[in-house]
Amino acid sequence: MVEPGDPLHATCEEPVFDPLVGEDGAGTLTIAEAAAATGVSTHTLRYYERAGLMRDPVARATSQHRRYSAGDIRWVTFLTRLRTTGMPIREMARYARLAGAGEGNEAERLALLTEHRRRVLERLDEVQRNLAAIDKKIAVYQEIAVYQERIDR
Amino acid sequence: MVEPGDPLHATCEEPVFDPLVGEDGAGTLTIAEAAAATGVSTHTLRYYERAGLMRDPVARATSQHRRYSAGDIRWVTFLTRLRTTGMPIREMARYARLAGAGEGNEAERLALLTEHRRRVLERLDEVQRNLAAIDKKIAVYQEIAVYQERIDR
DNA sequence: CTAGAACCTGGAGCGCACTCCAAGTCAAAA
DNA sequence: TTTTGACTTGGAGTGCGCTCCAGGTTCTAG
């Protein structure tokens, strides 16, 4: 038995809930449930853990089955934000290592995220510029379509 | 030597200049020059051609060396716009096949580009939403930085 | 004429981010 | 208790978009 809601070690990172509440993981999610909750496949969840993206290894039931805490779910959700904005796995691993090391490296984490943000904005701008060029081509084809229509009637 | 600017067969696609002007490719570019002009490596230029991205095979000198026309360069430049906006090679090949087939399939090309545009905008939106979430995390770390500063003085 | 750079080809190799497989363990329902 | 399905692991496989290699031909400068 473990008391829930330990008010200690409340870090600024992810509000950590006790991973194993009650007997063998009550209040936690199986890997399939975590997959459903985050939109990431079970394969990928295991892969992410192997790749060092989880700050700390995910808690286990006595059966060795993974038990995802609410904090784990929030963390994975944040990982997906980094991923869909194009951060490479290696860099996510570096961020996870920093976050897993606890307080004291916030400046480094800030720098990492800020630099990522800069690259994302750069990329967004590049895509938008190229899309504008494609839009021009689209406009040309729309002209042709109008012309065809005139012929067809 | 040949006069520049043939006003004939001015299509709506890429204004085509004679690929082989004068003796064995005057007014055209070698693959290295084409690479410099487009920002695509010579390896990739050959790969693109193999992958069917060139509408028609690039013209050759008698030596079998490739000779890129101005139209080829514009085409490759447009290909890079499709690529940097995330179009897969397979789809670019399909577009190239349509463009290579000449007039009559403009509606299909328009549909392809329009659908691509839709997906790009969707993706841009997704990235922006996720970036906004990352921005919030950045703001948290900036708060911490300000707090640290207060401690340090 | 010759050296060295640039080009050619088919095919292999690479890095990334998954995705799946095999063989075994564990768990919830009949 | 037995079946069925979810879970475990290490490692292999996949798809994509290049990127490079080997072995040969061609071009260009001296």
Side-chain angles (χ1 to χ4, degrees):
Chain A
M1 263 301 189
V2 179
E3 270 74 0
D6 175 5
L8 286 171
H9 65 298
T11 75
C12 293
E13 186 50 40
E14 288 289 337
V16 175
F17 289 69
D18 272 29
L20 290 171
V21 183
E23 261 125 48
D24 214 18
T28 62
L29 303 184
T30 66
I31 194 167
E33 290 164 343
T38 59
V40 170
S41 77
T42 58
H43 295 301
T44 302
L45 283 174
R46 293 194 198 95
Y47 165 66
Y48 277 6
E49 190 173 345
R50 261 191 288 179
L53 264 47
M54 289 306 290
R55 288 179 304 187
D56 301 301
V58 174
R60 301 298 179 114
T62 52
S63 63
Q64 286 298 96
H65 289 192
R66 289 176 179 79
R67 288 294 118 92
Y68 287 80
S69 70
D72 289 334
I73 299 303
R74 275 193 301 277
W75 176 255
V76 171
T77 300
F78 187 64
L79 288 180
T80 64
R81 299 200 192 290
L82 296 178
R83 271 303 296 137
T84 63
T85 52
M87 184 182 285
I89 297 293
R90 299 183 70 85
E91 199 170 346
M92 287 165 62
R94 187 167 150 246
Y95 182 68
R97 229 176 302 121
L98 290 171
E103 294 174 39
N105 58 26
E106 286 81 2
E108 210 171 335
R109 290 185 234 171
L110 175 58
L112 192 153
L113 291 184
T114 304
E115 172 60 13
H116 176 60
R117 184 189 133 90
R118 198 191 57 72
R119 284 194 304 255
V120 172
L121 289 176
E122 202 171 80
R123 175 101 184 93
L124 280 175
D125 193 63
E126 188 192 8
V127 170
Q128 275 158 353
R129 281 200 317 273
N130 283 297
L131 186 60
I134 294 168
D135 280 346
K136 280 187 193 168
K137 183 82 83 176
I138 287 176
V140 170
Y141 282 121
Q142 281 170 339
E143 286 284 325
I144 294 171
V146 169
Y147 181 65
Q148 296 284 3
E149 219 171 280
R150 266 193 218 124
I151 289 173
D152 290 350
R153 70 178 55 168
Chain B
M1 268 304 181
V2 177
E3 274 74 358
D6 175 5
L8 285 172
H9 63 299
T11 76
C12 293
E13 185 51 37
E14 288 289 338
V16 175
F17 290 70
D18 275 28
L20 289 172
V21 182
E23 264 123 50
D24 216 19
T28 62
L29 303 184
T30 67
I31 195 167
E33 290 163 343
T38 59
V40 170
S41 78
T42 59
H43 295 301
T44 302
L45 284 173
R46 293 195 199 95
Y47 165 66
Y48 277 5
E49 191 173 343
R50 262 190 288 179
L53 263 47
M54 289 306 289
R55 288 179 303 188
D56 302 301
V58 174
R60 302 297 179 113
T62 52
S63 63
Q64 287 298 97
H65 289 192
R66 289 175 179 79
R67 287 294 117 92
Y68 288 81
S69 71
D72 288 335
I73 300 303
R74 276 192 300 277
W75 177 256
V76 172
T77 301
F78 186 65
L79 287 181
T80 65
R81 299 200 192 290
L82 295 178
R83 271 302 298 137
T84 62
T85 52
M87 185 182 285
I89 298 294
R90 297 183 71 84
E91 199 170 346
M92 289 164 62
R94 185 166 152 248
Y95 182 69
R97 229 176 300 121
L98 290 171
E103 294 174 37
N105 57 27
E106 287 81 2
E108 210 171 335
R109 290 186 234 171
L110 175 58
L112 192 153
L113 292 184
T114 304
E115 172 61 12
H116 176 60
R117 184 189 133 89
R118 198 191 56 71
R119 284 194 304 255
V120 172
L121 288 176
E122 203 172 80
R123 174 102 184 93
L124 280 175
D125 192 64
E126 188 192 7
V127 170
Q128 276 157 351
R129 281 199 318 274
N130 282 298
L131 186 59
I134 294 168
D135 280 346
K136 280 187 193 167
K137 183 83 82 177
I138 287 176
V140 170
Y141 282 121
Q142 281 170 339
E143 286 284 325
I144 293 172
V146 168
Y147 182 65
Q148 297 283 3
E149 217 171 282
R150 265 196 220 124
I151 288 174
D152 290 349
R153 71 178 52 167

